[in-house]
Amino acid sequence: MTEVASRGPVEDRRAVSATVRPARDDVAGASDQPSPGSRRPWMPSPTAVMRLLMEIAIVLGVYSAYSAVRNAGGKDVAPAFEHGSEIMRLEAFLRIDIEQRVNQWVAGDDLLSAVSALEYHTLHWWVTIGVAVWLYVRHQTEYRKASLLLAATTLLALVGFYTYPTAPPRMYDGFVDVMSVTSSWGWWEESGSPGPQSMTNEFAAMPSLHCGWAIWSGLMIFLIAKKPLVRALGVIYPLVTSFVVVGTANHYILDIVAVAGIIALAAVVIYGTPRLREMAGAADRRVTTDS
Protein backbone atom coordinates (compact mmCIF):
# COMPACT_ATOMS: atom_id res chain seq x y z
CA MET A 1 0.00 0.00 0.00
CA THR A 2 2.85 2.33 0.82
CA GLU A 3 4.50 1.67 -2.60
CA VAL A 4 1.32 2.40 -4.57
CA ALA A 5 0.61 5.49 -2.61
CA SER A 6 4.09 6.79 -3.22
CA ARG A 7 3.46 7.09 -6.99
CA GLY A 8 2.67 10.50 -8.23
CA PRO A 9 -0.03 11.49 -10.78
CA VAL A 10 2.50 11.53 -13.64
CA GLU A 11 3.61 7.95 -13.08
CA ASP A 12 0.01 6.75 -12.95
CA ARG A 13 -0.79 8.35 -16.34
CA ARG A 14 2.28 6.77 -17.93
CA ALA A 15 1.33 3.34 -16.67
CA VAL A 16 -2.20 3.63 -18.03
CA SER A 17 -0.93 4.94 -21.38
CA ALA A 18 1.48 2.02 -21.74
CA THR A 19 -1.28 -0.51 -21.22
CA VAL A 20 -3.72 0.93 -23.76
CA ARG A 21 -1.34 2.07 -26.55
CA PRO A 22 -0.44 -0.74 -29.02
CA ALA A 23 3.10 -1.15 -30.21
CA ARG A 24 4.07 0.82 -33.33
CA ASP A 25 5.19 -2.28 -35.16
CA ASP A 26 1.77 -3.85 -34.63
CA VAL A 27 0.00 -0.79 -36.06
CA ALA A 28 2.29 -0.63 -39.10
CA GLY A 29 1.90 -4.32 -39.72
CA ALA A 30 -1.85 -4.07 -39.58
CA SER A 31 -1.90 -1.21 -42.11
CA ASP A 32 0.21 -3.22 -44.59
CA GLN A 33 -2.28 -6.05 -44.75
CA PRO A 34 -4.63 -5.68 -47.75
CA SER A 35 -8.28 -5.81 -46.97
CA PRO A 36 -10.26 -8.73 -48.40
CA GLY A 37 -11.20 -8.12 -52.06
CA SER A 38 -8.92 -5.07 -52.44
CA ARG A 39 -6.90 -4.57 -55.70
CA ARG A 40 -3.21 -4.05 -56.04
CA PRO A 41 -2.33 -0.54 -57.33
CA TRP A 42 -1.06 -1.93 -60.64
CA MET A 43 -4.17 -3.99 -61.30
CA PRO A 44 -6.74 -2.39 -63.69
CA SER A 45 -10.31 -2.19 -62.52
CA PRO A 46 -12.89 -4.57 -64.01
CA THR A 47 -14.47 -1.58 -65.74
CA ALA A 48 -11.18 -0.65 -67.39
CA VAL A 49 -10.63 -4.23 -68.55
CA MET A 50 -14.12 -4.42 -70.05
CA ARG A 51 -13.67 -1.07 -71.77
CA LEU A 52 -10.35 -2.22 -73.27
CA LEU A 53 -11.83 -5.52 -74.48
CA MET A 54 -14.75 -3.65 -76.02
CA GLU A 55 -12.37 -1.26 -77.75
CA ILE A 56 -10.33 -4.13 -79.17
CA ALA A 57 -13.49 -5.86 -80.39
CA ILE A 58 -14.69 -2.67 -82.12
CA VAL A 59 -11.32 -2.12 -83.81
CA LEU A 60 -11.10 -5.71 -85.01
CA GLY A 61 -14.69 -5.64 -86.21
CA VAL A 62 -14.27 -2.40 -88.14
CA TYR A 63 -11.02 -3.52 -89.70
CA SER A 64 -12.40 -6.94 -90.65
CA ALA A 65 -15.39 -5.32 -92.34
CA TYR A 66 -13.11 -2.80 -94.04
CA SER A 67 -10.76 -5.52 -95.32
CA ALA A 68 -13.63 -7.63 -96.61
CA VAL A 69 -15.20 -4.72 -98.51
CA ARG A 70 -11.87 -3.38 -99.78
CA ASN A 71 -10.55 -6.72 -101.00
CA ALA A 72 -13.85 -7.61 -102.65
CA GLY A 73 -13.06 -4.98 -105.27
CA GLY A 74 -10.24 -4.93 -107.78
CA LYS A 75 -12.19 -6.42 -110.67
CA ASP A 76 -12.74 -3.28 -112.77
CA VAL A 77 -9.52 -3.47 -114.76
CA ALA A 78 -10.34 -1.18 -117.68
CA PRO A 79 -11.76 1.69 -115.56
CA ALA A 80 -8.84 1.37 -113.14
CA PHE A 81 -6.25 1.88 -115.88
CA GLU A 82 -8.31 4.67 -117.37
CA HIS A 83 -8.41 6.46 -114.02
CA GLY A 84 -4.68 5.99 -113.54
CA SER A 85 -4.04 7.54 -116.93
CA GLU A 86 -6.36 10.44 -116.06
CA ILE A 87 -4.38 11.13 -112.90
CA MET A 88 -1.06 11.08 -114.76
CA ARG A 89 -2.39 13.49 -117.39
CA LEU A 90 -3.69 15.84 -114.71
CA GLU A 91 -0.40 15.75 -112.84
CA ALA A 92 1.48 16.46 -116.07
CA PHE A 93 -0.78 19.47 -116.60
CA LEU A 94 -0.11 20.64 -113.03
CA ARG A 95 3.63 19.91 -113.43
CA ILE A 96 3.72 17.64 -110.39
CA ASP A 97 4.31 14.36 -112.24
CA ILE A 98 7.47 13.38 -110.35
CA GLU A 99 6.56 9.74 -109.69
CA GLN A 100 8.71 8.17 -112.40
CA ARG A 101 11.84 10.11 -111.47
CA VAL A 102 11.49 9.29 -107.78
CA ASN A 103 10.75 5.65 -108.57
CA GLN A 104 13.82 5.31 -110.80
CA TRP A 105 16.00 6.85 -108.09
CA VAL A 106 14.71 4.45 -105.41
CA ALA A 107 14.83 1.39 -107.67
CA GLY A 108 18.38 2.20 -108.74
CA ASP A 109 19.73 2.07 -105.19
CA ASP A 110 19.61 -1.34 -103.47
CA LEU A 111 19.80 0.08 -99.95
CA LEU A 112 17.19 2.75 -100.58
CA SER A 113 14.81 0.29 -102.20
CA ALA A 114 15.24 -2.18 -99.31
CA VAL A 115 14.59 0.50 -96.66
CA SER A 116 11.61 1.81 -98.61
CA ALA A 117 10.12 -1.68 -98.91
CA LEU A 118 10.53 -2.31 -95.19
CA GLU A 119 8.96 1.03 -94.30
CA TYR A 120 6.07 0.46 -96.68
CA HIS A 121 5.21 -2.95 -95.30
CA THR A 122 5.88 -2.54 -91.56
CA LEU A 123 5.57 1.02 -90.22
CA HIS A 124 2.18 1.44 -91.87
CA TRP A 125 0.83 -1.00 -89.30
CA TRP A 126 2.99 -0.70 -86.22
CA VAL A 127 3.22 3.08 -85.99
CA THR A 128 -0.54 3.43 -86.36
CA ILE A 129 -1.19 0.77 -83.73
CA GLY A 130 1.46 2.23 -81.43
CA VAL A 131 0.01 5.75 -81.61
CA ALA A 132 -3.51 4.42 -80.97
CA VAL A 133 -2.34 2.48 -77.89
CA TRP A 134 -0.35 5.49 -76.65
CA LEU A 135 -3.45 7.68 -76.90
CA TYR A 136 -5.64 5.07 -75.20
CA VAL A 137 -3.25 4.55 -72.29
CA ARG A 138 -1.80 8.02 -71.76
CA HIS A 139 -4.32 10.45 -73.26
CA GLN A 140 -7.81 9.11 -72.68
CA THR A 141 -9.41 12.53 -73.13
CA GLU A 142 -8.03 12.78 -76.67
CA TYR A 143 -8.42 9.14 -77.65
CA ARG A 144 -12.13 9.07 -78.47
CA LYS A 145 -12.10 11.81 -81.10
CA ALA A 146 -8.70 10.75 -82.41
CA SER A 147 -9.93 7.18 -83.00
CA LEU A 148 -13.07 8.54 -84.63
CA LEU A 149 -10.90 10.59 -86.99
CA LEU A 150 -8.90 7.49 -87.90
CA ALA A 151 -12.07 5.47 -88.53
CA ALA A 152 -13.61 8.25 -90.64
CA THR A 153 -10.46 8.55 -92.74
CA THR A 154 -10.38 4.79 -93.32
CA LEU A 155 -14.05 4.52 -94.28
CA LEU A 156 -13.93 7.55 -96.59
CA ALA A 157 -10.89 6.03 -98.29
CA LEU A 158 -12.97 2.89 -98.81
CA VAL A 159 -15.55 4.99 -100.66
CA GLY A 160 -12.77 6.24 -102.91
CA PHE A 161 -11.57 2.72 -103.66
CA TYR A 162 -15.05 1.73 -104.81
CA THR A 163 -16.09 4.81 -106.72
CA TYR A 164 -12.72 5.45 -108.34
CA PRO A 165 -10.67 2.24 -108.76
CA THR A 166 -7.18 3.25 -109.85
CA ALA A 167 -4.23 1.32 -111.22
CA PRO A 168 -1.07 2.37 -109.32
CA PRO A 169 2.01 3.63 -111.21
CA ARG A 170 3.83 0.28 -110.84
CA MET A 171 1.39 -1.26 -113.31
CA TYR A 172 2.46 1.07 -116.12
CA ASP A 173 5.47 0.88 -118.41
CA GLY A 174 8.46 2.88 -117.27
CA PHE A 175 7.98 2.14 -113.56
CA VAL A 176 9.76 -0.42 -111.38
CA ASP A 177 7.63 -2.39 -108.91
CA VAL A 178 9.96 -2.13 -105.90
CA MET A 179 7.80 -4.30 -103.64
CA SER A 180 7.79 -7.07 -106.25
CA VAL A 181 11.57 -6.89 -106.68
CA THR A 182 12.25 -6.96 -102.94
CA SER A 183 9.73 -9.73 -102.28
CA SER A 184 12.45 -12.18 -103.33
CA TRP A 185 14.01 -11.67 -99.89
CA GLY A 186 11.12 -10.00 -98.01
CA TRP A 187 8.17 -11.74 -96.35
CA TRP A 188 5.50 -9.78 -98.24
CA GLU A 189 3.50 -10.52 -101.36
CA GLU A 190 4.63 -9.02 -104.67
CA SER A 191 2.05 -6.25 -104.26
CA GLY A 192 3.32 -5.46 -100.76
CA SER A 193 -0.06 -6.39 -99.30
CA PRO A 194 -0.11 -8.08 -95.87
CA GLY A 195 -2.78 -10.48 -97.09
CA PRO A 196 -2.78 -13.18 -99.75
CA GLN A 197 -2.26 -11.90 -103.29
CA SER A 198 -5.49 -13.54 -104.42
CA MET A 199 -7.51 -11.50 -101.89
CA THR A 200 -5.84 -8.14 -102.48
CA ASN A 201 -7.48 -5.24 -104.30
CA GLU A 202 -4.55 -3.87 -106.25
CA PHE A 203 -6.63 -1.00 -107.62
CA ALA A 204 -7.16 0.58 -104.16
CA ALA A 205 -4.75 3.42 -104.86
CA MET A 206 -6.92 6.54 -104.70
CA PRO A 207 -6.63 7.88 -102.04
CA SER A 208 -3.48 6.62 -100.34
CA LEU A 209 -4.46 5.03 -97.04
CA HIS A 210 -0.79 4.45 -96.29
CA CYS A 211 -0.35 8.21 -96.21
CA GLY A 212 -3.71 8.69 -94.52
CA TRP A 213 -2.72 6.63 -91.51
CA ALA A 214 0.75 8.21 -91.48
CA ILE A 215 -0.70 11.73 -91.51
CA TRP A 216 -3.10 10.78 -88.70
CA SER A 217 -0.26 9.32 -86.63
CA GLY A 218 1.99 12.31 -87.24
CA LEU A 219 -0.79 14.77 -86.45
CA MET A 220 -1.60 13.12 -83.13
CA ILE A 221 2.08 12.96 -82.15
CA PHE A 222 2.68 16.60 -83.10
CA LEU A 223 -0.39 17.97 -81.34
CA ILE A 224 -0.27 15.88 -78.16
CA ALA A 225 3.34 14.87 -77.44
CA LYS A 226 5.39 17.19 -75.22
CA LYS A 227 9.01 16.48 -76.11
CA PRO A 228 10.29 18.47 -79.14
CA LEU A 229 12.15 15.48 -80.57
CA VAL A 230 9.05 13.29 -80.46
CA ARG A 231 6.96 16.03 -82.03
CA ALA A 232 9.55 16.42 -84.77
CA LEU A 233 9.15 12.72 -85.54
CA GLY A 234 5.43 13.40 -85.92
CA VAL A 235 6.27 15.77 -88.77
CA ILE A 236 8.95 13.61 -90.36
CA TYR A 237 7.07 10.32 -90.44
CA PRO A 238 4.26 11.35 -92.87
CA LEU A 239 6.82 12.98 -95.16
CA VAL A 240 8.93 9.82 -95.23
CA THR A 241 5.87 7.68 -95.92
CA SER A 242 4.83 9.98 -98.76
CA PHE A 243 8.27 9.60 -100.31
CA VAL A 244 8.13 5.81 -99.90
CA VAL A 245 4.71 5.28 -101.50
CA VAL A 246 5.80 7.33 -104.50
CA GLY A 247 9.28 5.80 -104.65
CA THR A 248 7.91 2.25 -104.63
CA ALA A 249 5.46 3.25 -107.42
CA ASN A 250 2.41 2.40 -105.34
CA HIS A 251 0.78 5.83 -105.37
CA TYR A 252 0.53 9.11 -107.23
CA ILE A 253 1.10 12.54 -105.74
CA LEU A 254 -2.62 13.24 -106.07
CA ASP A 255 -3.39 10.13 -104.00
CA ILE A 256 -1.55 11.82 -101.14
CA VAL A 257 -3.24 15.16 -101.73
CA ALA A 258 -6.66 13.48 -101.76
CA VAL A 259 -6.20 11.71 -98.42
CA ALA A 260 -4.78 14.86 -96.82
CA GLY A 261 -7.95 16.66 -97.88
CA ILE A 262 -10.10 13.86 -96.44
CA ILE A 263 -8.33 14.09 -93.07
CA ALA A 264 -8.61 17.89 -93.01
CA LEU A 265 -12.34 17.75 -93.71
CA ALA A 266 -12.96 14.96 -91.20
CA ALA A 267 -10.94 16.77 -88.53
CA VAL A 268 -12.97 19.96 -88.94
CA VAL A 269 -16.23 18.00 -88.64
CA ILE A 270 -15.12 15.90 -85.65
CA TYR A 271 -13.14 18.44 -83.66
CA GLY A 272 -14.50 21.73 -84.91
CA THR A 273 -12.31 24.63 -86.01
CA PRO A 274 -12.06 26.24 -82.51
CA ARG A 275 -10.84 23.00 -80.93
CA LEU A 276 -8.24 22.48 -83.67
CA ARG A 277 -6.99 26.02 -83.12
CA GLU A 278 -6.83 25.39 -79.38
CA MET A 279 -4.80 22.19 -79.87
CA ALA A 280 -2.44 23.89 -82.31
CA GLY A 281 -2.01 26.82 -79.91
CA ALA A 282 -1.22 24.48 -77.04
CA ALA A 283 1.37 22.72 -79.20
CA ASP A 284 2.97 26.06 -80.09
CA ARG A 285 3.10 27.06 -76.44
CA ARG A 286 4.88 23.80 -75.58
CA VAL A 287 7.46 24.56 -78.27
CA THR A 288 8.01 28.07 -76.86
CA THR A 289 8.29 26.77 -73.29
CA ASP A 290 10.70 23.96 -74.19
CA SER A 291 12.91 26.26 -76.24
Side-chain angles (χ1 to χ4, degrees), residues 86-203:
E86 288 176 354
I87 291 175
M88 286 191 281
R89 287 195 295 268
L90 179 57
E91 289 188 349
F93 174 77
L94 297 173
R95 299 183 182 277
I96 59 173
D97 53 333
I98 63 172
E99 291 90 349
Q100 193 170 34
R101 281 171 286 171
V102 177
N103 174 242
Q104 294 293 337
W105 176 35
V106 171
D109 188 303
D110 291 341
L111 178 60
L112 187 56
S113 62
V115 172
S116 296
L118 288 169
E119 198 275 357
Y120 183 87
H121 192 266
T122 56
L123 296 189
H124 171 60
W125 299 100
W126 295 114
V127 171
T128 306
I129 293 172
V131 171
V133 172
W134 170 66
L135 289 173
Y136 184 84
V137 174
R138 301 293 299 275
H139 302 278
Q140 278 279 338
T141 56
E142 301 293 346
Y143 173 78
R144 182 54 52 198
K145 286 188 175 181
S147 62
L148 183 58
L149 177 59
L150 179 61
T153 301
T154 303
L155 295 177
L156 288 173
L158 182 61
V159 173
F161 299 156
Y162 254 79
T163 59
Y164 200 78
T166 305
R170 59 185 171 82
M171 293 186 174
Y172 291 88
D173 293 336
F175 290 89
V176 178
D177 189 343
V178 173
M179 298 306 295
S180 178
V181 172
T182 55
S183 67
S184 61
W185 56 263
W187 59 88
W188 46 83
E189 298 282 349
E190 290 187 2
S191 65
S193 171
Q197 191 80 17
S198 60
M199 296 178 60
T200 298
N201 179 4
E202 297 195 59
F203 298 142

Side-chain angles (χ1 to χ4, degrees), residues 34-82:
S35 60
S38 65
R39 293 186 299 108
R40 297 291 184 183
W42 49 267
M43 292 179 63
S45 67
T47 302
V49 172
M50 289 300 298
R51 187 168 63 245
L52 176 59
L53 293 176
M54 182 66 70
E55 196 69 33
I56 293 174
I58 292 173
V59 170
L60 292 177
V62 170
Y63 183 74
S64 296
Y66 161 80
S67 296
V69 175
R70 176 186 184 272
N71 295 335
K75 301 176 179 63
D76 300 325
V77 178
F81 277 93
E82 181 181 344

